[in-house]
Amino acid sequence: MDTIPSLSDIKRAHQRISKVTLRTPVMTSDGINEMTGCSVYFKCENFQKVGAFKMRGASNFILGYRPEDRVNGFATHSSGNHAQAVAHAAALSGNKAYVVMPENSTKVKIQATKHYGADVILCDNNEEARIKTCDDVIARTGAVFVPPFDDYRIIAGQATAAKEFIEEVETMDTIMTPVGGGGLAAGTALVANYLDPNIEVVLGEPKKADDTFRSLKSGKIEHITNPDTIADGLKVTIGERNFDIIQKYVKEVITVTEKEIIDAMKIIWERMKIIIEPSCAVPFAVLLKNKEQFAGKEVGIILTGGNVDLSNLPF
Amino acid sequence: MDTIPSLSDIKRAHQRISKVTLRTPVMTSDGINEMTGCSVYFKCENFQKVGAFKMRGASNFILGYRPEDRVNGFATHSSGNHAQAVAHAAALSGNKAYVVMPENSTKVKIQATKHYGADVILCDNNEEARIKTCDDVIARTGAVFVPPFDDYRIIAGQATAAKEFIEEVETMDTIMTPVGGGGLAAGTALVANYLDPNIEVVLGEPKKADDTFRSLKSGKIEHITNPDTIADGLKVTIGERNFDIIQKYVKEVITVTEKEIIDAMKIIWERMKIIIEPSCAVPFAVLLKNKEQFAGKEVGIILTGGNVDLSNLPF
């Protein structure tokens, strides 16, 4: 699949992953509506399997292979939610997963990835070591590489979250996601454009990792390397296919500071009694910072994940 | 109302409070089912208005008065969720609330109670001062006292949580709640008995505040005074009306240690990505400790509340 996913592709993805993912709930909060001056809907992908939307893309990728083409399993490198998603999606599909993780990954994440049945291979904490180790694993096992975001099957899988969201809340004016590599952002922009082109797509990004913000300004991908943000899921540079879609269908990217991210995260915890990770708080931080822009609107926010280290909270 | 609530009383309570309370969702977790060896359903009263089931009882009590009989408002004394519930329920009913809180209550709780529109009156941190101050407020204002648990209208209100739960999950073998003053415990036991007498009602209680456990053994109320448990909602002694109902309709009370409570709380946070307070974790701690007893069963747990101080977590 190397053309931009059509609506039919996204519908097929949705059907394909429906047995191994959850249709996550949409939540609202009177307190938050009062605080923001708009009607906010939260699509709770923090309740998704493995605790993050990444399960959708990984499942669509893996289940897109015929059983006879995936007997050697799947491999990826990741220190985050993609690791657990590939591990769990492969296991549910009856396949082996090999996950290369940097040796400084948190113990909790390594354990969780192993718990889902994956072989975890530790490597040095740099991009080259990750790629080299993963290539070695693939050469040895014949496993298929699962890209984290710059792939149309991944994008189509992530798009299913916004598809469910728009189907459930038909009256949204705006839909917001964070942007890191851009799998979810591009998928959301695509499906919003297909289902209701009047919905504005707004992305949130940490100021400290503002590659997409700057890339949209300059018209070409602006790389970042290991930015120092608490939003650890958003440290990567936007992918090519992702940037292409985002250029076409996203209204704007708005950046927020580290403090704004942490404050937004705490408000969600306190008011909604749900656990979200820092990356996930970014769009809500954007909303809190720009209340006038969204006043009176119906705003949908995809809460992307809830995997945090409870012994190391920022508040 | 001074007879045990009938099923009709509970149905009327449910109707009465439906505009000011939420029908909270029921959640499940594959990970927790695997861990416990049974099918666990969680009724999420941590998502209830004011973050706790207490909103149900307070609303039923307040809305049970004719408008002309509640012009002087309502008063109570509480350091916990009952304070916020009375404040919010009174405001939504168009009435004034006077809430006496001990001066060492957390700032967050005092602010929240004020936020809901109540007059907060601080007093010394002992039972006598609370009662005396509240009596003074009532003498001055003509407000009606809202009892926290030992009242049939409160019990009927709290019973509506289990009513919704049993209506939604018809196949439960067991339903569990924590027990403190016994408003929720007695309401749950009553409505389970009315709707499906085959459902076993099991209560969880901290070992350090095991008044109900001991009272059931001795056949009379065994008082406790200011027990040192992290489950701050369960520090009070069981009420008389509550004990009477619990004696009749509860199968057993099982106690757990402080460590078991904290561990159970952490598992819910990590696996379910929802925030529950220590008191709320007690029944799940009971389940984790007694897996054989519940093996293969369908167990419903009412998650009672999610009000915690995020800057002072036990893990």
Side-chain angles (χ1 to χ4, degrees):
Chain A
M1 177 176 178
D2 221 36
T3 54
I4 289 182
S6 65
L7 181 57
S8 299
D9 290 330
I10 295 167
K11 286 181 176 171
R12 270 192 291 272
H14 205 192
Q15 205 162 32
R16 191 179 289 132
I17 70 173
S18 62
K19 275 190 191 156
V20 295
T21 57
L22 302 174
R23 190 172 183 107
T24 53
V26 173
M27 293 183 77
T28 60
S29 157
D30 289 348
I32 282 176
N33 291 344
E34 196 181 306
M35 181 185 298
T36 57
C38 56
S39 296
V40 194
Y41 300 89
F42 295 97
K43 172 74 170 168
C44 294
E45 289 293 299
N46 53 333
F47 296 155
Q48 186 54 266
K49 292 198 184 218
V50 314
F53 76 89
K54 294 272 183 181
M55 186 65 186
R56 296 177 182 267
S59 304
N60 187 47
F61 187 95
I62 287 171
L63 291 170
Y65 284 81
R66 294 176 303 178
E68 58 268 36
D69 294 334
R70 49 180 157 94
V71 288
N72 295 328
F74 293 88
T76 198
H77 55 87
S78 165
S79 60
N81 292 330
H82 182 62
Q84 294 177 53
V86 170
H88 198 34
L92 291 175
S93 313
N95 295 115
K96 190 79 204 166
Y98 305 92
V99 180
V100 174
M101 301 182 80
E103 58 191 0
N104 67 340
S105 306
T106 59
K107 213 174 148 187
V108 175
K109 288 195 172 171
I110 295 173
Q111 280 175 336
T113 308
K114 284 184 180 169
H115 172 81
Y116 290 121
D119 275 9
V120 171
I121 303 103
L122 298 177
C123 71
D124 287 349
N125 180 34
N126 63 66
E127 190 67 9
E128 282 154 55
R130 284 166 59 153
I131 293 171
K132 169 79 169 60
T133 310
C134 194
D135 285 348
D136 288 351
V137 167
I138 288 168
R140 176 166 58 81
T141 61
V144 176
F145 179 64
V146 188
F149 46 83
D150 194 355
D151 179 279
Y152 289 131
R153 292 159 291 188
I154 296 288
I155 292 170
Q158 317 302 27
T160 60
K163 176 174 177 283
E164 290 175 10
F165 200 5
I166 295 167
E167 285 168 356
E168 184 162 342
V169 187
E170 291 181 324
T171 49
M172 281 189 289
D173 300 298
T174 305
I175 189 164
M176 298 173 86
T177 76
V179 58
L184 180 69
T188 299
L190 260 189
V191 81
N193 178 62
Y194 291 141
L195 294 179
D196 183 352
N198 292 319
I199 298 177
E200 289 179 351
V201 180
V202 174
L203 307 180
E205 198 172 37
K207 259 198 205 334
K208 285 195 168 182
D210 65 346
D211 54 295
T212 305
F213 177 81
R214 291 187 290 112
S215 302
L216 279 181
K217 294 263 182 263
S218 72
K220 64 178 177 48
I221 292 177
E222 305 287 344
H223 288 267
I224 44 164
T225 311
N226 217 6
D228 177 29
T229 172
I230 192 174
D232 56 356
L234 310 178
K235 288 184 171 193
V236 291
T237 301
I238 186 83
E240 286 181 27
R241 293 169 185 78
N242 314 76
F243 182 57
D244 180 40
I245 293 170
I246 286 169
Q247 273 190 308
K248 288 198 183 84
Y249 300 118
V250 164
K251 189 196 168 210
E252 67 179 315
V253 178
I254 300 177
T255 61
V256 284
T257 65
E258 299 295 294
K259 180 174 184 308
E260 287 163 349
I261 295 169
I262 294 167
D263 289 349
M265 177 174 162
K266 195 175 182 194
I267 289 173
I268 299 266
W269 284 46
E270 284 179 342
R271 294 300 184 112
M272 301 190 62
K273 314 298 178 192
I274 62 175
I275 291 176
I276 62 166
E277 58 191 71
S279 308
C280 177
V282 170
F284 184 58
V286 167
L287 178 58
L288 285 173
K289 192 183 186 171
N290 300 275
K291 290 181 190 168
E292 326 69 44
Q293 180 174 345
F294 300 100
K297 292 193 175 175
E298 298 204 17
V299 179
I301 293 179
I302 299 182
L303 295 178
T304 51
N307 293 325
V308 290
D309 181 357
L310 291 179
S311 55
N312 187 23
L313 296 176
F315 38 74
Chain B
M1 178 173 177
D2 221 40
T3 54
I4 291 184
S6 65
L7 181 57
S8 300
D9 291 329
I10 295 168
K11 285 180 177 172
R12 271 192 291 272
H14 204 192
Q15 206 161 32
R16 189 177 292 133
I17 70 172
S18 62
K19 276 189 190 155
V20 295
T21 56
L22 302 174
R23 190 173 182 105
T24 53
V26 173
M27 293 182 75
T28 60
S29 157
D30 289 349
I32 282 175
N33 290 346
E34 198 182 304
M35 182 186 296
T36 56
C38 56
S39 297
V40 194
Y41 299 88
F42 295 96
K43 172 74 169 167
C44 294
E45 289 293 299
N46 53 332
F47 297 155
Q48 186 53 265
K49 293 201 184 213
V50 313
F53 76 90
K54 294 272 183 181
M55 185 65 185
R56 296 177 182 267
S59 305
N60 186 49
F61 186 94
I62 287 172
L63 291 169
Y65 282 81
R66 293 176 305 175
E68 59 268 36
D69 293 336
R70 50 180 155 93
V71 287
N72 295 329
F74 293 90
T76 198
H77 55 88
S78 164
S79 60
N81 293 328
H82 182 60
Q84 296 176 53
V86 170
H88 197 34
L92 291 175
S93 314
N95 295 114
K96 189 79 204 165
Y98 306 91
V99 180
V100 174
M101 301 181 79
E103 59 192 1
N104 68 340
S105 304
T106 61
K107 213 174 146 186
V108 175
K109 289 197 172 169
I110 294 173
Q111 280 174 338
T113 307
K114 285 184 179 170
H115 172 82
Y116 290 120
D119 275 7
V120 171
I121 302 102
L122 298 177
C123 71
D124 287 348
N125 180 35
N126 62 67
E127 190 68 9
E128 281 153 56
R130 285 167 58 153
I131 293 170
K132 169 79 171 58
T133 310
C134 194
D135 285 348
D136 288 350
V137 167
I138 288 167
R140 176 165 58 81
T141 61
V144 176
F145 178 65
V146 188
F149 47 82
D150 194 357
D151 179 280
Y152 289 131
R153 291 158 293 186
I154 297 287
I155 292 170
Q158 317 302 27
T160 61
K163 175 174 177 285
E164 291 175 9
F165 200 6
I166 295 168
E167 285 167 356
E168 183 162 343
V169 187
E170 292 181 322
T171 48
M172 281 191 289
D173 300 298
T174 305
I175 190 164
M176 297 172 86
T177 77
V179 60
L184 180 69
T188 300
L190 260 190
V191 81
N193 178 62
Y194 291 142
L195 295 178
D196 183 353
N198 291 317
I199 297 177
E200 288 179 351
V201 179
V202 175
L203 306 180
E205 197 171 39
K207 257 197 204 339
K208 285 195 169 181
D210 65 345
D211 54 296
T212 305
F213 177 81
R214 288 187 291 112
S215 301
L216 280 181
K217 293 260 181 268
S218 72
K220 64 178 176 50
I221 292 178
E222 304 287 345
H223 288 267
I224 44 164
T225 310
N226 218 5
D228 176 29
T229 172
I230 192 174
D232 56 356
L234 310 179
K235 287 183 171 194
V236 290
T237 300
I238 186 83
E240 284 181 29
R241 294 170 185 78
N242 314 77
F243 182 57
D244 180 41
I245 293 170
I246 286 169
Q247 273 189 308
K248 288 198 183 85
Y249 301 119
V250 163
K251 190 195 167 210
E252 67 179 316
V253 178
I254 301 177
T255 61
V256 285
T257 66
E258 298 296 294
K259 181 174 184 308
E260 286 161 349
I261 295 169
I262 294 168
D263 289 349
M265 177 175 163
K266 194 173 183 196
I267 289 172
I268 299 266
W269 284 46
E270 285 180 340
R271 293 300 183 111
M272 299 190 64
K273 314 298 179 193
I274 63 176
I275 292 177
I276 62 167
E277 58 192 69
S279 307
C280 177
V282 170
F284 184 56
V286 167
L287 178 56
L288 285 173
K289 193 182 185 172
N290 300 276
K291 290 181 191 168
E292 327 67 45
Q293 180 174 346
F294 301 100
K297 291 193 174 172
E298 298 205 15
V299 179
I301 293 179
I302 300 183
L303 294 178
T304 50
N307 293 325
V308 289
D309 181 358
L310 292 179
S311 55
N312 188 21
L313 296 176
F315 39 74

